[in-house]
């Protein structure tokens, strides 16, 4: 096996797969779940009855859309910048409200997947042909920095739905929020969803659905490595295993090798040995309460302006301003 320094990588995906599979314990980044197939699988997950997050946040936005629209709007209009837009299903509730109330805004969805952005733009323009929509493909912060420099005289509302921040441990969540705050002007807002602590079984069911879609979603990462790096992962030899720790509110997902096996990644000239029951950590999903969210905000130089929860208090959307 060549060392990391000797291996030439075609892209960051190859480099991060190399680093993760040669580490101990092994890990892979969940950001690489989202190829064309992964995008479709995640849309299926969001429609599952066990995956309560989507419906809870949809309810919040539907029931509070008029108030949210009023908070978002500015005298000179505003840019609605959505990080990790996906299919924009919940955002479209807000778009409808903003259009019906004749707000002056430009919708700027950002996503790492160009495929998702193309589908979103097509659907939005089919529904509202006159809407101003400007999609941006790439990493959140590079584009956010560019947008903040371009529009210092126009209010920016940054939207992050679906508890995407939950994919980060608290240390990196603070860094994430701090980076967003640095792109904000005093009048700007951050609207962000946080999945709340609740019955541990409800949480586990959301990451281990009865139809096996979440398992397929996780294993699709191995399929993607097979296709893009000429590897030979046998997906049948890995079990999907989620766990939840109610003390710290952390959900983790693993792919666990069911036997001793060696996997070859030909493009990386790499052989990886798995012992029976050895794991690959694929995902973290953090759960929160008001104390944690207010602490994260304070550490990042933000303050909670307002918050909205669903009737079961499963999910909360917070609006932040610069402190």
């Amino acid at each position: 096996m060549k060392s990391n320094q000797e291996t030439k990588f075609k892209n960051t995906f190859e480099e991060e797969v190399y680093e993760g599979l040669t580490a101990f314990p092994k890990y892979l980044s969940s950001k690489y779940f989202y190829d064309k197939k992964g995008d479709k699988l995640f849309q299926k997950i969001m429609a599952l009855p066990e995956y309560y997050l989507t419906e809870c946040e949809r309810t919040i936005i539907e029931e509070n859309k008029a108030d949210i629209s009023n908070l978002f709007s500015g005298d000179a209009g505003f840019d609605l910048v959505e990080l990790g837009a996906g299919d924009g299903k919940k955002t479209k509730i807000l778009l409808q409200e903003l259009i019906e109330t004749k707000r002056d805004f430009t919708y700027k969805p950002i996503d790492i997947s160009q495929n998702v952005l193309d589908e979103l733009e097509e659907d939005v323009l089919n529904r509202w042909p006159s809407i101003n929509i400007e999609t941006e493909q790439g990493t959140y912060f590079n584009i956010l920095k560019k947008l903040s420099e371009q529009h210092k005289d126009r209010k920016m509302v940054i939207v992050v739905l679906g508890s995407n921040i939950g994919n980060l441990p608290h240390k990196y969540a603070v860094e994430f929020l701090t980076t967003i705050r640095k792109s904000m002007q005093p009048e700007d807002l951050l609207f962000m969803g946080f999945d709340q602590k609740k019955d541990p079984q409800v949480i586990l069911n959301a990451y281990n659905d009865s139809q096996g879609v979440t398992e397929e979603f996780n294993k699709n990462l191995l399929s993607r490595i097979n296709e893009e790096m000429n590897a030979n992962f046998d997906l049948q030899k890995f079990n999907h295993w989620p766990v939840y720790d109610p003390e710290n509110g952390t959900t983790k997902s693993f792919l666990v090798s069911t036997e001793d096996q060696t996997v070859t990644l030909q493009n990386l000239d790499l052989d990886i040995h798995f012992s029976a029951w050895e794991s690959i950590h694929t995902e973290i999903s953090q759960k929160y309460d008001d104390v944690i969210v207010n602490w994260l905000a304070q550490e990042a130089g933000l303050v909670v302006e307002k918050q909205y929860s669903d009737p079961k208090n499963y999910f909360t959307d917070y609006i932040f301003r610069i402190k």
Side-chain angles (χ1 to χ4, degrees):
M1 182 178 75
K2 293 182 180 178
S3 69
N4 197 351
Q5 290 75 21
E6 293 172 334
T7 303
K8 293 183 178 179
F9 303 108
K10 293 179 182 177
N11 49 50
T12 54
F13 182 33
E14 287 192 353
E15 184 172 6
E16 292 189 23
V17 166
Y18 185 104
E19 290 174 355
L21 292 181
T22 56
F24 183 79
K26 295 178 173 64
Y27 66 90
L28 291 168
S29 173
S30 60
K31 67 184 176 184
Y32 294 114
F33 285 166
Y34 301 94
D35 61 354
K36 193 166 186 177
K37 182 180 178 183
D39 293 339
K40 296 296 184 186
L41 286 170
F42 188 63
Q43 289 175 18
K44 286 180 68 175
I45 287 171
M46 290 191 293
L48 292 168
E50 296 100 329
Y51 196 76
Y52 58 84
L53 291 83
T54 304
E55 181 58 26
C56 288
E57 192 169 35
R58 189 205 65 78
T59 299
I60 290 169
I61 294 172
E62 182 65 50
E63 293 183 351
N64 299 282
K65 60 188 178 183
D67 191 51
I68 295 168
S69 174
N70 286 332
L71 282 169
F72 282 7
S73 299
D75 294 337
F78 68 99
D79 291 332
L80 184 65
V81 180
E82 183 171 13
L83 308 186
D87 63 3
K89 187 174 182 180
K90 291 168 288 188
T91 312
K92 289 166 190 170
I93 300 170
L94 283 176
L95 295 181
Q96 181 69 43
E97 176 70 15
L98 292 167
I99 289 167
E100 287 181 356
T101 53
K102 296 180 169 56
R103 309 290 182 171
D104 176 14
F105 75 101
T106 299
Y107 178 39
K108 298 189 174 184
I110 300 170
D111 204 282
I112 198 167
S113 170
Q114 186 62 53
N115 173 64
V116 160
L117 288 172
D118 291 343
E119 291 184 358
L120 174 60
E121 182 174 24
E122 181 181 3
D123 185 58
V124 166
L125 289 173
N126 282 338
R127 294 182 188 217
W128 307 288
S130 63
I131 197 172
N132 293 321
I133 179 170
E134 299 173 5
T135 64
E136 294 273 4
Q137 188 274 330
T139 58
Y140 297 165
F141 297 135
N142 288 340
I143 295 172
L144 196 56
K145 184 173 184 293
K146 181 181 74 173
L147 293 177
S148 64
E149 290 171 351
Q150 289 174 346
H151 298 284
K152 290 187 177 180
D153 59 341
R154 184 173 166 93
K155 182 178 181 180
M156 181 166 61
V157 178
I158 302 162
V159 176
V160 189
L161 301 180
S163 199
N164 284 345
I165 194 170
N167 296 136
L168 302 171
H170 290 332
K171 173 185 174 182
Y172 297 110
V174 170
E175 291 179 7
F176 181 74
L177 290 169
T178 301
T179 305
I180 291 176
R181 190 258 302 158
K182 288 178 180 177
S183 72
M184 295 171 66
Q185 302 293 322
E187 71 277 8
D188 294 344
L189 297 174
L190 170 62
F191 184 88
M192 183 176 284
F194 289 78
D195 193 14
Q196 301 293 294
K197 291 182 178 180
K198 60 185 71 65
D199 181 345
Q201 192 60 57
V202 171
I203 292 172
L204 270 178
N205 290 346
Y207 296 90
N208 195 26
D209 64 275
S210 57
Q211 297 179 40
V213 184
T214 312
E215 177 179 3
E216 187 180 358
F217 182 57
N218 274 257
K219 288 186 175 182
N220 182 58
L221 180 49
L222 303 186
S223 296
R224 186 177 175 188
I225 293 170
N226 282 348
E227 292 170 9
E228 298 186 30
M229 299 177 202
N230 201 13
N232 64 342
F233 277 101
D234 184 342
L235 276 57
Q236 300 304 312
K237 295 181 179 179
F238 288 86
N239 287 343
H240 170 243
W241 193 259
V243 295
Y244 174 64
D245 184 341
E247 184 176 36
N248 58 30
T250 303
T251 308
K252 291 184 177 181
S253 293
F254 299 89
L255 293 172
V256 182
S257 176
T258 59
E259 61 182 62
D260 281 309
Q261 58 178 306
T262 298
V263 176
T264 299
L265 290 74
Q266 291 190 27
N267 291 10
L268 303 186
D269 192 21
L270 181 63
D271 291 328
I272 297 294
H273 179 71
F274 290 89
S275 301
W277 311 118
E278 185 178 0
S279 65
I280 309 171
H281 178 212
T282 56
E283 187 178 17
I284 181 175
S285 184
Q286 196 68 40
K287 310 305 170 188
Y288 303 89
D289 55 31
D290 286 346
V291 173
I292 297 172
V293 172
N294 279 284
W295 173 78
L296 290 172
Q298 181 177 353
E299 291 294 302
L302 296 166
V303 62
V304 175
E305 174 90 354
K306 199 162 186 177
Q307 62 191 75
Y308 308 90
S309 296
D310 66 281
K312 292 182 178 179
N313 291 315
Y314 277 10
F315 199 94
T316 302
D317 284 306
Y318 298 81
I319 294 181
F320 302 93
R321 288 188 183 272
I322 295 175
K323 187 161 61 175

